[in-house]
Amino acid sequence: PGTAVRAALEAQNIPSVAAGAGSVYATSAGNDWLTLLEALEQPHRSGRVRAAALTPFLGRSAADLEAGGETLTDELGSLLRNWADLLQTRGVAALLELSFAEQGLPGRLLAEIDGERRLTDLRHLGEGLQAAVVDEGLGLAALVEWLRRRRAESAADKSVERVRRLDSDAAAVQVMTLHVSKGLQYPVVYLPFA
């Protein structure tokens, strides 16, 4: 029900957040990170490069990829090889900051309705990935597998570092169940399925 409510609000361009929305690894940001890491692992595979191009990290559209053809794919493959080298030498945090600077990621995301949430999730996941690299000494291939496992485990895992962080919710509708709300502490309460 909460997903349906959020989808209906998004269709009307109304920002919303889900309280206790679960693991950050299960979000679209988790998928974006996995797609990027897979492309960094194999930047010579055009399918992976093109998939990574569609993530917020590179911010290309399907129309961009079609118009740019193989030339654009080759350019992005070269960029991803450089990013893979950066990841190996300086870590996930450096990669994230470079993608912010080079590709204008924050500006693009913040222009979207749920952009602040998505940006928060991308950063949160970046911190988790960086910690995995440092704590466990993971290389790129092992990091990809680590993220796949976290995404698979995300439904049952409620560890504090994996629960989605709330970004600025001041202007957003908070969607939650009656059980989560612990009472009517809000000025306006709407029960769409009561």
Side-chain angles (χ1 to χ4, degrees), residues 1-11 14-22 164 173-178 180 190-194:
T3 304
V5 170
R6 290 203 60 217
L9 291 167
E10 184 177 334
I14 299 170
S16 66
V17 295
R164 291 178 82 182
V173 173
Q174 294 188 31
V175 178
M176 63 185 66
T177 65
L178 281 174
V180 171
Y190 178 65
L191 305 170
F193 302 108

Side-chain angles (χ1 to χ4, degrees), residues 6-30:
R6 290 203 60 217
L9 291 167
E10 184 177 334
Q12 298 299 314
N13 291 329
I14 299 170
S16 66
V17 295
S23 172
V24 70
Y25 291 99
T27 64
S28 63

Side-chain angles (χ1 to χ4, degrees), residues 18 23 34-35 38 54 57 63 75 80 102 106-107 117 129 137-138 148 150-152 163 180:
S23 172
L34 183 58
T35 302
E38 289 172 340
L54 298 173
F57 295 104
E75 289 172 11
L80 290 172
E102 281 187 355
R117 162 68 65 191
L129 292 166
L138 302 179
R148 283 187 184 130
R150 292 304 171 278
R151 288 179 51 76
V163 173
V180 171

